[in-house]
Amino acid sequence: MTRPRILVARAIAPATLDRLARHFDLTPNADDAVWSREEFAARLQDQDGVLTTGSERIDGALLAACPRLRICANMAVGFNNFDTDAMSAHGVQGTNTPGVLTETTADFGFALLMATARRVTESEQFLRSGAWQRWRHDQFCGTDIHGSTLGIVGMGRIGQGIARRGAHGFGMRVVYHNRSRLDAATEAECKAAWLPLDELLATADHVVLVVPYSAASHHLIDAAALAKMKPTATLVNIARGGIVEDAALAEALRERRIAAAGLDVFEGEPTVHPGLLAVPNVVLTPHIASATHVTRQAMADLAADNLIAFFEGKGPLTPVNRPLAAPEKIAAQRTADR
């Protein structure tokens, strides 16, 4: 029997590729080329499945051009690159990689918070430029982390990890906003109290965004939201680009209407709004919150596990949609197509 054909859209760990090659007719992206939408569609037309990395858009137009496709396994916890309604309508399964990156991403979120509040990037650039000639009592004074109020927008696994670090490690008062309030036991574990978003923005000394991206969260933090924050507050985004209106944030930073920001994600990345590049009071990193060797390997392995389980008829481990056709019907159709 012919093995399923799988496209790997970007370079991933060789050990995962070797494992996939034992199960599938594999087409890797060995050069880690960034394909145009047209190139991606052309390469995908004769494939049964694809391992994506969050950068490849899967929507109705692409699916219509790739009728053989049965599963898209995202190597990311977010899946805003998937049009899940279109995928379900076409009988295509989507999966993601939750859980395996929670603690690593929470570590980075807190690191970015600390670098932002304590002006680490700004002061390092000052030192490297040769401008540091003497000590001053007010030189690069930032904002305290310990004992301050931490506001978390999006209290899923990663948000809870950041809350625990803040409450238990730094004695922070933690407030959060979420679509639904957490149960009392989880709130107690995180030492966190729910607030309406406007009240959180007005109260918090440090705001961290961990909310999933959707139409509802697009530009959740816009000029009006930024105006509600304290002028001494910091904003950190490790969620997705588009949750923050980058142009409005750049203006607020330039005018010092908030103290500083730390951003790991951007609208239209890898392009960064030029206004953000022009202000000193922002820490910028290239979407690396989950970037440790162990975690990226675990993400690749879970994406591979989803592909293997799906084509073995066991169903995906971490589905993000419910295809209209059952897995056994999809398998039968794939066989019939040959």
Side-chain angles (χ1 to χ4, degrees), residues 153-203:
V153 182
M155 199 66 159
R157 295 183 182 94
I158 297 169
Q160 291 171 36
I162 292 170
R164 290 193 300 271
R165 285 159 175 77
H168 297 284
F170 290 82
M172 301 177 84
R173 174 196 174 209
V174 179
V175 295
Y176 75 95
H177 180 78
N178 210 42
R179 285 178 297 180
S180 56
R181 186 166 175 172
L182 300 177
D183 61 84
T186 305
E187 283 190 344
E189 179 189 354
C190 296
K191 296 186 178 181
W194 185 91
L195 286 180
L197 180 59
D198 287 354
E199 188 175 346
L200 181 149
L201 293 173
T203 301

mmCIF file of all heavy atoms in Angstrom, residues 153-203:
data_model
loop_
_atom_site.group_PDB
_atom_site.id
_atom_site.type_symbol
_atom_site.label_atom_id
_atom_site.label_comp_id
_atom_site.label_asym_id
_atom_site.label_seq_id
_atom_site.Cartn_x
_atom_site.Cartn_y
_atom_site.Cartn_z
ATOM 1 N N VAL A 153 -3.574 39.245 30.707
ATOM 2 C CA VAL A 153 -4.729 39.173 29.816
ATOM 3 C C VAL A 153 -4.632 37.860 29.045
ATOM 4 O O VAL A 153 -3.766 37.698 28.183
ATOM 5 C CB VAL A 153 -4.774 40.377 28.853
ATOM 6 C CG1 VAL A 153 -6.012 40.304 27.962
ATOM 7 C CG2 VAL A 153 -4.749 41.686 29.633
ATOM 8 N N GLY A 154 -5.500 36.912 29.393
ATOM 9 C CA GLY A 154 -5.434 35.567 28.837
ATOM 10 C C GLY A 154 -4.843 34.625 29.864
ATOM 11 O O GLY A 154 -3.624 34.568 30.016
ATOM 12 N N MET A 155 -5.689 33.904 30.569
ATOM 13 C CA MET A 155 -5.222 33.110 31.709
ATOM 14 C C MET A 155 -5.326 31.617 31.418
ATOM 15 O O MET A 155 -5.891 30.834 32.178
ATOM 16 C CB MET A 155 -6.033 33.484 32.951
ATOM 17 C CG MET A 155 -5.383 33.099 34.265
ATOM 18 S SD MET A 155 -3.881 33.993 34.592
ATOM 19 C CE MET A 155 -3.802 33.782 36.375
ATOM 20 N N GLY A 156 -4.767 31.217 30.272
ATOM 21 C CA GLY A 156 -4.629 29.796 29.979
ATOM 22 C C GLY A 156 -3.398 29.235 30.673
ATOM 23 O O GLY A 156 -2.923 29.766 31.684
ATOM 24 N N ARG A 157 -2.853 28.145 30.111
ATOM 25 C CA ARG A 157 -1.708 27.499 30.748
ATOM 26 C C ARG A 157 -0.532 28.449 30.926
ATOM 27 O O ARG A 157 0.094 28.508 31.984
ATOM 28 C CB ARG A 157 -1.255 26.290 29.905
ATOM 29 C CG ARG A 157 -2.242 25.135 29.801
ATOM 30 C CD ARG A 157 -1.595 24.016 28.994
ATOM 31 N NE ARG A 157 -2.460 22.881 28.784
ATOM 32 C CZ ARG A 157 -3.222 22.711 27.702
ATOM 33 N NH1 ARG A 157 -3.221 23.629 26.750
ATOM 34 N NH2 ARG A 157 -3.984 21.627 27.572
ATOM 35 N N ILE A 158 -0.207 29.199 29.859
ATOM 36 C CA ILE A 158 0.960 30.080 29.914
ATOM 37 C C ILE A 158 0.696 31.243 30.863
ATOM 38 O O ILE A 158 1.557 31.614 31.666
ATOM 39 C CB ILE A 158 1.331 30.575 28.507
ATOM 40 C CG1 ILE A 158 1.742 29.387 27.620
ATOM 41 C CG2 ILE A 158 2.462 31.590 28.571
ATOM 42 C CD1 ILE A 158 1.865 29.726 26.155
ATOM 43 N N GLY A 159 -0.496 31.828 30.782
ATOM 44 C CA GLY A 159 -0.843 32.910 31.691
ATOM 45 C C GLY A 159 -0.758 32.483 33.139
ATOM 46 O O GLY A 159 -0.257 33.220 34.006
ATOM 47 N N GLN A 160 -1.223 31.269 33.426
ATOM 48 C CA GLN A 160 -1.140 30.758 34.799
ATOM 49 C C GLN A 160 0.309 30.553 35.221
ATOM 50 O O GLN A 160 0.676 30.795 36.379
ATOM 51 C CB GLN A 160 -1.924 29.453 34.912
ATOM 52 C CG GLN A 160 -3.431 29.620 34.779
ATOM 53 C CD GLN A 160 -4.164 28.306 34.673
ATOM 54 O OE1 GLN A 160 -3.780 27.319 35.294
ATOM 55 N NE2 GLN A 160 -5.219 28.276 33.867
ATOM 56 N N GLY A 161 1.160 30.104 34.281
ATOM 57 C CA GLY A 161 2.574 29.947 34.594
ATOM 58 C C GLY A 161 3.229 31.275 34.949
ATOM 59 O O GLY A 161 4.038 31.362 35.881
ATOM 60 N N ILE A 162 2.879 32.326 34.227
ATOM 61 C CA ILE A 162 3.418 33.657 34.523
ATOM 62 C C ILE A 162 2.883 34.142 35.861
ATOM 63 O O ILE A 162 3.616 34.732 36.668
ATOM 64 C CB ILE A 162 3.072 34.627 33.384
ATOM 65 C CG1 ILE A 162 3.842 34.228 32.118
ATOM 66 C CG2 ILE A 162 3.402 36.071 33.772
ATOM 67 C CD1 ILE A 162 3.400 34.950 30.877
ATOM 68 N N ALA A 163 1.599 33.894 36.125
ATOM 69 C CA ALA A 163 1.003 34.299 37.402
ATOM 70 C C ALA A 163 1.715 33.640 38.570
ATOM 71 O O ALA A 163 2.019 34.299 39.586
ATOM 72 C CB ALA A 163 -0.485 33.951 37.410
ATOM 73 N N ARG A 164 2.003 32.341 38.468
ATOM 74 C CA ARG A 164 2.696 31.644 39.558
ATOM 75 C C ARG A 164 4.083 32.226 39.788
ATOM 76 O O ARG A 164 4.511 32.400 40.931
ATOM 77 C CB ARG A 164 2.781 30.147 39.261
ATOM 78 C CG ARG A 164 1.455 29.408 39.332
ATOM 79 C CD ARG A 164 1.673 27.908 39.331
ATOM 80 N NE ARG A 164 2.358 27.454 38.140
ATOM 81 C CZ ARG A 164 1.750 27.099 37.001
ATOM 82 N NH1 ARG A 164 0.427 27.169 36.907
ATOM 83 N NH2 ARG A 164 2.458 26.684 35.960
ATOM 84 N N ARG A 165 4.784 32.515 38.725
ATOM 85 C CA ARG A 165 6.113 33.104 38.867
ATOM 86 C C ARG A 165 6.041 34.457 39.563
ATOM 87 O O ARG A 165 6.858 34.770 40.433
ATOM 88 C CB ARG A 165 6.774 33.235 37.488
ATOM 89 C CG ARG A 165 7.273 31.908 36.935
ATOM 90 C CD ARG A 165 7.445 31.969 35.403
ATOM 91 N NE ARG A 165 8.035 30.749 34.883
ATOM 92 C CZ ARG A 165 7.356 29.598 34.710
ATOM 93 N NH1 ARG A 165 6.067 29.521 35.049
ATOM 94 N NH2 ARG A 165 7.963 28.530 34.221
ATOM 95 N N GLY A 166 5.060 35.260 39.172
ATOM 96 C CA GLY A 166 4.933 36.580 39.773
ATOM 97 C C GLY A 166 4.506 36.531 41.219
ATOM 98 O O GLY A 166 5.111 37.194 42.087
ATOM 99 N N ALA A 167 3.481 35.721 41.509
ATOM 100 C CA ALA A 167 2.927 35.692 42.866
ATOM 101 C C ALA A 167 3.856 35.003 43.851
ATOM 102 O O ALA A 167 4.125 35.516 44.944
ATOM 103 C CB ALA A 167 1.567 34.994 42.851
ATOM 104 N N HIS A 168 4.373 33.835 43.460
ATOM 105 C CA HIS A 168 5.163 33.035 44.393
ATOM 106 C C HIS A 168 6.642 33.426 44.389
ATOM 107 O O HIS A 168 7.315 33.304 45.422
ATOM 108 C CB HIS A 168 5.019 31.549 44.056
ATOM 109 C CG HIS A 168 3.626 31.033 44.211
ATOM 110 N ND1 HIS A 168 3.062 30.771 45.432
ATOM 111 C CD2 HIS A 168 2.670 30.741 43.285
ATOM 112 C CE1 HIS A 168 1.808 30.335 45.268
ATOM 113 N NE2 HIS A 168 1.555 30.308 43.972
ATOM 114 N N GLY A 169 7.137 33.884 43.246
ATOM 115 C CA GLY A 169 8.560 34.209 43.165
ATOM 116 C C GLY A 169 8.895 35.643 43.502
ATOM 117 O O GLY A 169 9.978 35.929 44.022
ATOM 118 N N PHE A 170 7.960 36.573 43.206
ATOM 119 C CA PHE A 170 8.280 37.992 43.342
ATOM 120 C C PHE A 170 7.280 38.748 44.220
ATOM 121 O O PHE A 170 7.341 39.971 44.302
ATOM 122 C CB PHE A 170 8.347 38.644 41.956
ATOM 123 C CG PHE A 170 9.541 38.205 41.162
ATOM 124 C CD1 PHE A 170 9.537 37.004 40.465
ATOM 125 C CD2 PHE A 170 10.690 38.976 41.123
ATOM 126 C CE1 PHE A 170 10.639 36.592 39.738
ATOM 127 C CE2 PHE A 170 11.797 38.579 40.402
ATOM 128 C CZ PHE A 170 11.777 37.379 39.714
ATOM 129 N N GLY A 171 6.389 38.024 44.866
ATOM 130 C CA GLY A 171 5.453 38.668 45.768
ATOM 131 C C GLY A 171 4.561 39.683 45.099
ATOM 132 O O GLY A 171 4.155 40.679 45.714
ATOM 133 N N MET A 172 4.228 39.445 43.822
ATOM 134 C CA MET A 172 3.395 40.383 43.085
ATOM 135 C C MET A 172 1.913 40.144 43.393
ATOM 136 O O MET A 172 1.497 39.010 43.640
ATOM 137 C CB MET A 172 3.626 40.247 41.584
ATOM 138 C CG MET A 172 5.061 40.481 41.146
ATOM 139 S SD MET A 172 5.316 40.228 39.363
ATOM 140 C CE MET A 172 4.803 41.829 38.742
ATOM 141 N N ARG A 173 1.145 41.196 43.369
ATOM 142 C CA ARG A 173 -0.307 41.067 43.363
ATOM 143 C C ARG A 173 -0.708 40.752 41.926
ATOM 144 O O ARG A 173 -0.345 41.483 41.001
ATOM 145 C CB ARG A 173 -0.960 42.365 43.817
ATOM 146 C CG ARG A 173 -2.475 42.361 43.701
ATOM 147 C CD ARG A 173 -3.050 43.757 43.788
ATOM 148 N NE ARG A 173 -4.490 43.733 43.531
ATOM 149 C CZ ARG A 173 -5.170 44.733 43.004
ATOM 150 N NH1 ARG A 173 -4.543 45.853 42.655
ATOM 151 N NH2 ARG A 173 -6.465 44.628 42.822
ATOM 152 N N VAL A 174 -1.436 39.669 41.711
ATOM 153 C CA VAL A 174 -1.787 39.235 40.357
ATOM 154 C C VAL A 174 -3.277 39.455 40.114
ATOM 155 O O VAL A 174 -4.124 38.992 40.888
ATOM 156 C CB VAL A 174 -1.437 37.749 40.140
ATOM 157 C CG1 VAL A 174 -1.842 37.310 38.733
ATOM 158 C CG2 VAL A 174 0.055 37.518 40.366
ATOM 159 N N VAL A 175 -3.578 40.157 39.028
ATOM 160 C CA VAL A 175 -4.952 40.293 38.552
ATOM 161 C C VAL A 175 -4.981 39.790 37.117
ATOM 162 O O VAL A 175 -3.966 39.816 36.414
ATOM 163 C CB VAL A 175 -5.452 41.747 38.640
ATOM 164 C CG1 VAL A 175 -5.534 42.197 40.099
ATOM 165 C CG2 VAL A 175 -4.562 42.699 37.851
ATOM 166 N N TYR A 176 -6.128 39.302 36.679
ATOM 167 C CA TYR A 176 -6.200 38.746 35.333
ATOM 168 C C TYR A 176 -7.552 39.041 34.706
ATOM 169 O O TYR A 176 -8.549 39.294 35.391
ATOM 170 C CB TYR A 176 -5.937 37.244 35.336
ATOM 171 C CG TYR A 176 -7.084 36.392 35.847
ATOM 172 C CD1 TYR A 176 -7.998 35.819 34.952
ATOM 173 C CD2 TYR A 176 -7.265 36.160 37.207
ATOM 174 C CE1 TYR A 176 -9.062 35.048 35.415
ATOM 175 C CE2 TYR A 176 -8.310 35.387 37.668
ATOM 176 C CZ TYR A 176 -9.206 34.829 36.771
ATOM 177 O OH TYR A 176 -10.258 34.068 37.231
ATOM 178 N N HIS A 177 -7.546 38.985 33.372
ATOM 179 C CA HIS A 177 -8.803 39.052 32.622
ATOM 180 C C HIS A 177 -8.827 37.881 31.659
ATOM 181 O O HIS A 177 -7.834 37.589 31.000
ATOM 182 C CB HIS A 177 -8.926 40.364 31.848
ATOM 183 C CG HIS A 177 -10.201 40.460 31.073
ATOM 184 N ND1 HIS A 177 -11.404 40.761 31.666
ATOM 185 C CD2 HIS A 177 -10.477 40.255 29.759
ATOM 186 C CE1 HIS A 177 -12.361 40.754 30.766
ATOM 187 N NE2 HIS A 177 -11.825 40.445 29.601
ATOM 188 N N ASN A 178 -9.959 37.228 31.584
ATOM 189 C CA ASN A 178 -10.125 36.053 30.746
ATOM 190 C C ASN A 178 -11.568 36.025 30.268
ATOM 191 O O ASN A 178 -12.442 36.646 30.887
ATOM 192 C CB ASN A 178 -9.823 34.782 31.567
ATOM 193 C CG ASN A 178 -9.281 33.660 30.728
ATOM 194 O OD1 ASN A 178 -8.441 33.873 29.857
ATOM 195 N ND2 ASN A 178 -9.764 32.457 30.967
ATOM 196 N N ARG A 179 -11.817 35.320 29.187
ATOM 197 C CA ARG A 179 -13.207 35.214 28.707
ATOM 198 C C ARG A 179 -14.100 34.588 29.762
ATOM 199 O O ARG A 179 -15.242 34.981 29.934
ATOM 200 C CB ARG A 179 -13.258 34.376 27.422
ATOM 201 C CG ARG A 179 -12.755 35.104 26.199
ATOM 202 C CD ARG A 179 -12.777 34.205 24.984
ATOM 203 N NE ARG A 179 -11.883 33.065 25.139
ATOM 204 C CZ ARG A 179 -11.711 32.131 24.215
ATOM 205 N NH1 ARG A 179 -12.388 32.181 23.090
ATOM 206 N NH2 ARG A 179 -10.864 31.129 24.436
ATOM 207 N N SER A 180 -13.576 33.616 30.470
ATOM 208 C CA SER A 180 -14.323 33.011 31.572
ATOM 209 C C SER A 180 -13.438 32.964 32.801
ATOM 210 O O SER A 180 -12.216 32.777 32.695
ATOM 211 C CB SER A 180 -14.786 31.590 31.202
ATOM 212 O OG SER A 180 -13.684 30.786 30.835
ATOM 213 N N ARG A 181 -14.039 33.159 33.951
ATOM 214 C CA ARG A 181 -13.276 33.188 35.185
ATOM 215 C C ARG A 181 -12.780 31.790 35.536
ATOM 216 O O ARG A 181 -13.469 30.787 35.306
ATOM 217 C CB ARG A 181 -14.152 33.735 36.313
ATOM 218 C CG ARG A 181 -13.416 33.946 37.602
ATOM 219 C CD ARG A 181 -14.212 34.786 38.574
ATOM 220 N NE ARG A 181 -13.524 34.884 39.849
ATOM 221 C CZ ARG A 181 -13.912 35.686 40.837
ATOM 222 N NH1 ARG A 181 -14.989 36.446 40.688
ATOM 223 N NH2 ARG A 181 -13.227 35.713 41.960
ATOM 224 N N LEU A 182 -11.575 31.700 36.074
ATOM 225 C CA LEU A 182 -11.024 30.418 36.495
ATOM 226 C C LEU A 182 -11.761 29.904 37.724
ATOM 227 O O LEU A 182 -12.397 30.667 38.457
ATOM 228 C CB LEU A 182 -9.545 30.578 36.818
ATOM 229 C CG LEU A 182 -8.631 31.055 35.686
ATOM 230 C CD1 LEU A 182 -7.216 31.212 36.216
ATOM 231 C CD2 LEU A 182 -8.663 30.117 34.497
ATOM 232 N N ASP A 183 -11.654 28.599 37.949
ATOM 233 C CA ASP A 183 -12.242 28.042 39.160
ATOM 234 C C ASP A 183 -11.472 28.535 40.375
ATOM 235 O O ASP A 183 -10.326 28.986 40.285
ATOM 236 C CB ASP A 183 -12.238 26.516 39.100
ATOM 237 C CG ASP A 183 -10.820 25.943 38.998
ATOM 238 O OD1 ASP A 183 -10.164 25.787 40.037
ATOM 239 O OD2 ASP A 183 -10.387 25.677 37.859
ATOM 240 N N ALA A 184 -12.108 28.450 41.526
ATOM 241 C CA ALA A 184 -11.547 29.010 42.751
ATOM 242 C C ALA A 184 -10.202 28.386 43.115
ATOM 243 O O ALA A 184 -9.295 29.075 43.599
ATOM 244 C CB ALA A 184 -12.544 28.836 43.900
ATOM 245 N N ALA A 185 -10.056 27.078 42.878
ATOM 246 C CA ALA A 185 -8.809 26.398 43.229
ATOM 247 C C ALA A 185 -7.640 26.920 42.391
ATOM 248 O O ALA A 185 -6.538 27.132 42.905
ATOM 249 C CB ALA A 185 -8.967 24.888 43.051
ATOM 250 N N THR A 186 -7.875 27.133 41.083
ATOM 251 C CA THR A 186 -6.810 27.646 40.214
ATOM 252 C C THR A 186 -6.473 29.082 40.564
ATOM 253 O O THR A 186 -5.296 29.480 40.584
ATOM 254 C CB THR A 186 -7.218 27.534 38.735
ATOM 255 O OG1 THR A 186 -7.568 26.181 38.436
ATOM 256 C CG2 THR A 186 -6.089 27.965 37.823
ATOM 257 N N GLU A 187 -7.499 29.886 40.852
ATOM 258 C CA GLU A 187 -7.239 31.257 41.289
ATOM 259 C C GLU A 187 -6.379 31.266 42.551
ATOM 260 O O GLU A 187 -5.441 32.070 42.674
ATOM 261 C CB GLU A 187 -8.549 31.991 41.554
ATOM 262 C CG GLU A 187 -9.276 32.443 40.301
ATOM 263 C CD GLU A 187 -10.430 33.372 40.601
ATOM 264 O OE1 GLU A 187 -10.878 33.439 41.762
ATOM 265 O OE2 GLU A 187 -10.888 34.057 39.662
ATOM 266 N N ALA A 188 -6.685 30.379 43.481
ATOM 267 C CA ALA A 188 -5.919 30.324 44.728
ATOM 268 C C ALA A 188 -4.482 29.895 44.471
ATOM 269 O O ALA A 188 -3.535 30.445 45.054
ATOM 270 C CB ALA A 188 -6.597 29.371 45.708
ATOM 271 N N GLU A 189 -4.302 28.905 43.588
ATOM 272 C CA GLU A 189 -2.947 28.436 43.262
ATOM 273 C C GLU A 189 -2.117 29.560 42.656
ATOM 274 O O GLU A 189 -0.920 29.689 42.936
ATOM 275 C CB GLU A 189 -3.023 27.258 42.286
ATOM 276 C CG GLU A 189 -1.673 26.721 41.877
ATOM 277 C CD GLU A 189 -1.765 25.702 40.752
ATOM 278 O OE1 GLU A 189 -2.892 25.330 40.371
ATOM 279 O OE2 GLU A 189 -0.708 25.304 40.250
ATOM 280 N N CYS A 190 -2.733 30.365 41.806
ATOM 281 C CA CYS A 190 -2.035 31.467 41.135
ATOM 282 C C CYS A 190 -2.073 32.751 41.943
ATOM 283 O O CYS A 190 -1.473 33.757 41.519
ATOM 284 C CB CYS A 190 -2.665 31.717 39.764
ATOM 285 S SG CYS A 190 -2.507 30.346 38.608
ATOM 286 N N LYS A 191 -2.785 32.747 43.069
ATOM 287 C CA LYS A 191 -2.993 33.962 43.872
ATOM 288 C C LYS A 191 -3.480 35.099 42.993
ATOM 289 O O LYS A 191 -2.969 36.237 43.061
ATOM 290 C CB LYS A 191 -1.709 34.350 44.607
ATOM 291 C CG LYS A 191 -1.243 33.331 45.630
ATOM 292 C CD LYS A 191 -0.047 33.855 46.424
ATOM 293 C CE LYS A 191 0.392 32.860 47.492
ATOM 294 N NZ LYS A 191 1.538 33.362 48.275
ATOM 295 N N ALA A 192 -4.479 34.811 42.161
ATOM 296 C CA ALA A 192 -4.930 35.753 41.137
ATOM 297 C C ALA A 192 -6.391 36.113 41.319
ATOM 298 O O ALA A 192 -7.208 35.263 41.699
ATOM 299 C CB ALA A 192 -4.712 35.156 39.744
ATOM 300 N N ALA A 193 -6.715 37.363 41.015
ATOM 301 C CA ALA A 193 -8.088 37.853 41.105
ATOM 302 C C ALA A 193 -8.537 38.362 39.739
ATOM 303 O O ALA A 193 -7.788 39.072 39.056
ATOM 304 C CB ALA A 193 -8.193 38.970 42.137
ATOM 305 N N TRP A 194 -9.769 38.007 39.351
ATOM 306 C CA TRP A 194 -10.315 38.429 38.063
ATOM 307 C C TRP A 194 -10.729 39.886 38.116
ATOM 308 O O TRP A 194 -11.284 40.359 39.116
ATOM 309 C CB TRP A 194 -11.526 37.571 37.698
ATOM 310 C CG TRP A 194 -12.075 37.872 36.330
ATOM 311 C CD1 TRP A 194 -11.727 37.272 35.163
ATOM 312 C CD2 TRP A 194 -13.088 38.834 36.003
ATOM 313 N NE1 TRP A 194 -12.443 37.795 34.119
ATOM 314 C CE2 TRP A 194 -13.286 38.761 34.600
ATOM 315 C CE3 TRP A 194 -13.835 39.749 36.745
ATOM 316 C CZ2 TRP A 194 -14.202 39.569 33.933
ATOM 317 C CZ3 TRP A 194 -14.745 40.568 36.082
ATOM 318 C CH2 TRP A 194 -14.930 40.467 34.688
ATOM 319 N N LEU A 195 -10.466 40.624 37.026
ATOM 320 C CA LEU A 195 -10.934 42.002 36.877
ATOM 321 C C LEU A 195 -11.450 42.213 35.465
ATOM 322 O O LEU A 195 -10.970 41.572 34.518
ATOM 323 C CB LEU A 195 -9.790 42.994 37.114
ATOM 324 C CG LEU A 195 -9.294 43.232 38.538
ATOM 325 C CD1 LEU A 195 -8.167 44.262 38.508
ATOM 326 C CD2 LEU A 195 -10.412 43.695 39.455
ATOM 327 N N PRO A 196 -12.400 43.118 35.267
ATOM 328 C CA PRO A 196 -12.736 43.546 33.909
ATOM 329 C C PRO A 196 -11.496 44.143 33.246
ATOM 330 O O PRO A 196 -10.602 44.684 33.931
ATOM 331 C CB PRO A 196 -13.814 44.619 34.128
ATOM 332 C CG PRO A 196 -14.334 44.381 35.500
ATOM 333 C CD PRO A 196 -13.197 43.809 36.299
ATOM 334 N N LEU A 197 -11.426 44.057 31.920
ATOM 335 C CA LEU A 197 -10.219 44.477 31.217
ATOM 336 C C LEU A 197 -9.867 45.933 31.500
ATOM 337 O O LEU A 197 -8.704 46.259 31.768
ATOM 338 C CB LEU A 197 -10.380 44.259 29.714
ATOM 339 C CG LEU A 197 -9.175 44.658 28.851
ATOM 340 C CD1 LEU A 197 -7.930 43.885 29.252
ATOM 341 C CD2 LEU A 197 -9.484 44.449 27.372
ATOM 342 N N ASP A 198 -10.836 46.828 31.436
ATOM 343 C CA ASP A 198 -10.543 48.246 31.656
ATOM 344 C C ASP A 198 -9.953 48.481 33.039
ATOM 345 O O ASP A 198 -9.018 49.281 33.212
ATOM 346 C CB ASP A 198 -11.807 49.089 31.476
ATOM 347 C CG ASP A 198 -12.215 49.215 30.021
ATOM 348 O OD1 ASP A 198 -11.457 48.744 29.144
ATOM 349 O OD2 ASP A 198 -13.292 49.778 29.752
ATOM 350 N N GLU A 199 -10.490 47.792 34.037
ATOM 351 C CA GLU A 199 -9.985 47.960 35.394
ATOM 352 C C GLU A 199 -8.585 47.380 35.533
ATOM 353 O O GLU A 199 -7.725 47.940 36.233
ATOM 354 C CB GLU A 199 -10.941 47.305 36.389
ATOM 355 C CG GLU A 199 -10.607 47.591 37.842
ATOM 356 C CD GLU A 199 -11.630 47.041 38.815
ATOM 357 O OE1 GLU A 199 -12.743 46.656 38.387
ATOM 358 O OE2 GLU A 199 -11.308 46.981 40.029
ATOM 359 N N LEU A 200 -8.345 46.254 34.876
ATOM 360 C CA LEU A 200 -7.000 45.666 34.897
ATOM 361 C C LEU A 200 -5.986 46.638 34.300
ATOM 362 O O LEU A 200 -4.911 46.862 34.876
ATOM 363 C CB LEU A 200 -6.994 44.344 34.137
ATOM 364 C CG LEU A 200 -5.662 43.584 34.071
ATOM 365 C CD1 LEU A 200 -5.911 42.082 34.012
ATOM 366 C CD2 LEU A 200 -4.809 43.990 32.863
ATOM 367 N N LEU A 201 -6.313 47.214 33.145
ATOM 368 C CA LEU A 201 -5.378 48.130 32.489
ATOM 369 C C LEU A 201 -5.076 49.342 33.367
ATOM 370 O O LEU A 201 -3.938 49.820 33.405
ATOM 371 C CB LEU A 201 -5.949 48.582 31.140
ATOM 372 C CG LEU A 201 -6.083 47.497 30.067
ATOM 373 C CD1 LEU A 201 -6.807 48.036 28.847
ATOM 374 C CD2 LEU A 201 -4.721 46.936 29.678
ATOM 375 N N ALA A 202 -6.083 49.824 34.067
ATOM 376 C CA ALA A 202 -5.894 51.000 34.921
ATOM 377 C C ALA A 202 -5.154 50.668 36.212
ATOM 378 O O ALA A 202 -4.537 51.550 36.819
ATOM 379 C CB ALA A 202 -7.256 51.612 35.250
ATOM 380 N N THR A 203 -5.191 49.405 36.622
ATOM 381 C CA THR A 203 -4.647 48.988 37.919
ATOM 382 C C THR A 203 -3.224 48.473 37.828
ATOM 383 O O THR A 203 -2.401 48.731 38.716
ATOM 384 C CB THR A 203 -5.538 47.877 38.522
ATOM 385 O OG1 THR A 203 -6.865 48.385 38.678
ATOM 386 C CG2 THR A 203 -5.005 47.391 39.858
#
